[in-house]
Amino acid sequence: MAILITGGAGYIGSHTCVELLNRGYEIVVIDNLSNSSKKSLDRVKEITGKDFRFYRDDLLNKAAVEEIFRRENIDSVIHFAGLKAVGESVEKPLEYYYNNITGTLVLCDVMKKHHVKNLVFSSSATVYGKPETVPIREDFPLSATNPYGRTKLMIEEILEDLYNADHEWKIVLLRYFNPVGAHKSGRIGEDPRGIPNNLVPYITQVVIGRLGYLNVYGNDYNTPDGTGVRDYIHVVDLAEGHVKAIEKIMGKDFAQNGVLTYNLGTGRGYSVLDMVKAFSQICGKEIRYEFKPRRPGDIATCYADPSRAKEELGWTASRGLMEMCEDSWRWQLNNPNGYDDA
Ligand code: NAD
Ligand code: WQD
């Protein structure tokens, strides 16, 4: 039996493939490579010494998804595939709704037809909107401030409806905080196209000289140093969270639990300037930055209460800030142009 990984060539997907293969799971990957490179999967094979089948297909192509379920012996799915850039989603809402929501509907429809009802879904801390307090618990009110966030919220609701209609579904929603870092080998990592939107790839590109300086968006937040505070989590910790989620679904105690939701975060917040300082230390270089106005839609502070994942999945993030920075840096240094260097 195999686990189908949608979006498996992407940043979090490729790291999850490694952790699953290392534990002896069989996997099959579908990805349209709209935001990734096939080289990431070649490197997953190289790191693990294991082989698996890859289908370069779009989730929107129902016939292609059907064909995969006909050919492969799939018993569960981890669903990463989706568009994820907040700013772009404001400019291209239809693309985001179509890709993320229709892609999920097609996937679930084909799963249902083939009696595959085990699903782990990539949600996001963005579904908490502007939380009134921190740390954020799973039972906090949900809202979205942009089309990307709304796709996550809508998909969570669609999956709840699916379970309500048919209790054979076993669904885990994983709400990630801020994934950073890379595999220790320095062979796979985050490879954003164009100028990065997220803090860590922006910083590493400043350090290698691809970008001139970091824009620090806002230094007047109500935080210890005035800059935004986030819960950065090592991508390998996150990948291990998916292994635990799949094992939970396969376990006997899942039955009748409904849709399970877990925060995947460390429970610790670091500011933008904390991150700059940590990277400077790791790279041995000063990082140039300039304060700029707040970025629209940003909140001051966001970090998880990860205790539910600890109690119910037996999962905690074990990698600290320095390891996150070291591993991000090794990936960037070895691959200054991402997978294009290969
Ligand atoms: P990513 O862009 O690296 O990976 C997503 C993958 O999905 C890409 O390889 C892309 O080519 C593929 N894809 C997109 N649409 C597809 C389609 N219609 N058919 C087939 N493949 C398709 O992103 P990531 O950072 O690895 O994120 C994975 C998931 O986690 C996404 O759903 C994202 O929204 C979610 N998430 C990411 C973050 C983050 O900060 N990285 C935080 C919270 C949640
Ligand atoms: C972190 C901090 C910025 C860039 C986003 C999505 C969220 C989730 C994770 C998918 C903030 C500051 C950033 C820069 C900066 N993705 N910053 N200069 O905004 O917390 O979350 O990614 O689900 O939905 O919104 O992450 O890395 O963009 O920003 O000062 O060039 O760094 O203001 O305080 P964010 P981020």
Side-chain angles (χ1 to χ4, degrees), residues 92-317:
K92 301 176 179 172
L94 290 181
E95 249 178 58
Y96 272 68
Y97 289 122
Y98 190 54
N99 189 75
N100 293 5
I101 293 178
T102 310
T104 304
L105 293 178
V106 169
L107 174 70
C108 290
D109 197 27
V110 176
M111 285 176 72
K112 186 173 153 228
K113 229 182 229 171
H114 290 261
H115 308 288
V116 177
K117 296 181 179 175
N118 299 329
L119 178 66
V120 177
F121 172 63
S122 297
S123 190
S124 166
T126 194
V127 299
Y128 297 113
K130 296 190 163 144
E132 276 177 18
T133 57
V134 281
I136 300 169
R137 284 198 322 268
E138 288 86 349
D139 60 1
F140 274 26
L142 304 180
S143 69
T145 54
N146 56 71
Y148 165 72
R150 259 184 290 282
T151 69
K152 292 293 176 196
L153 213 47
M154 286 177 189
I155 293 169
E156 286 201 0
E157 288 175 345
I158 289 168
L159 296 177
E160 294 268 0
D161 288 341
L162 199 55
Y163 170 77
N164 289 335
D166 174 359
H167 281 19
E168 283 182 5
W169 281 87
K170 295 181 183 179
I171 297 171
V172 175
L173 310 176
L174 297 179
R175 295 181 181 150
Y176 316 151
F177 281 69
N178 288 58
V180 299
H183 190 262
K184 276 269 170 285
S185 61
R187 298 291 287 157
I188 56 172
E190 186 172 13
D191 183 18
R193 297 197 167 158
I195 296 176
N197 299 305
N198 295 114
L199 180 67
V200 165
Y202 204 108
I203 291 180
T204 57
Q205 292 196 14
V206 168
V207 183
I208 58 159
R210 238 169 106 174
L211 296 166
Y213 60 90
L214 173 71
N215 300 300
V216 176
Y217 297 129
N219 61 346
D220 57 352
Y221 284 110
N222 184 17
T223 61
D225 64 20
T227 66
V229 168
R230 296 291 182 274
D231 187 337
Y232 298 95
I233 172 167
H234 197 295
V235 67
V236 177
D237 277 325
L238 204 57
E240 289 172 354
H242 291 75
V243 176
K244 295 286 190 186
I246 276 288
E247 288 171 351
K248 177 85 179 173
I249 281 186
M250 303 296 187
K252 286 195 187 71
D253 64 329
F254 195 96
Q256 305 308 319
N257 272 338
V259 177
L260 301 184
T261 305
Y262 299 103
N263 284 340
L264 295 185
T266 65
R268 265 213 74 156
Y270 290 101
S271 74
V272 177
L273 294 183
D274 289 334
M275 297 303 280
V276 169
K277 205 165 127 200
F279 270 102
S280 292
Q281 241 172 291
I282 295 294
C283 314
K285 283 190 197 172
E286 196 148 317
I287 295 166
R288 287 186 55 213
Y289 63 85
E290 288 183 13
F291 289 122
K292 293 286 159 69
R294 293 179 180 192
R295 194 171 60 175
D298 273 0
I299 54 178
T301 304
C302 173
Y303 60 89
D305 176 343
S307 49
R308 188 191 278 178
K310 183 174 181 187
E311 281 154 26
E312 296 184 17
L313 297 179
W315 173 91
T316 42

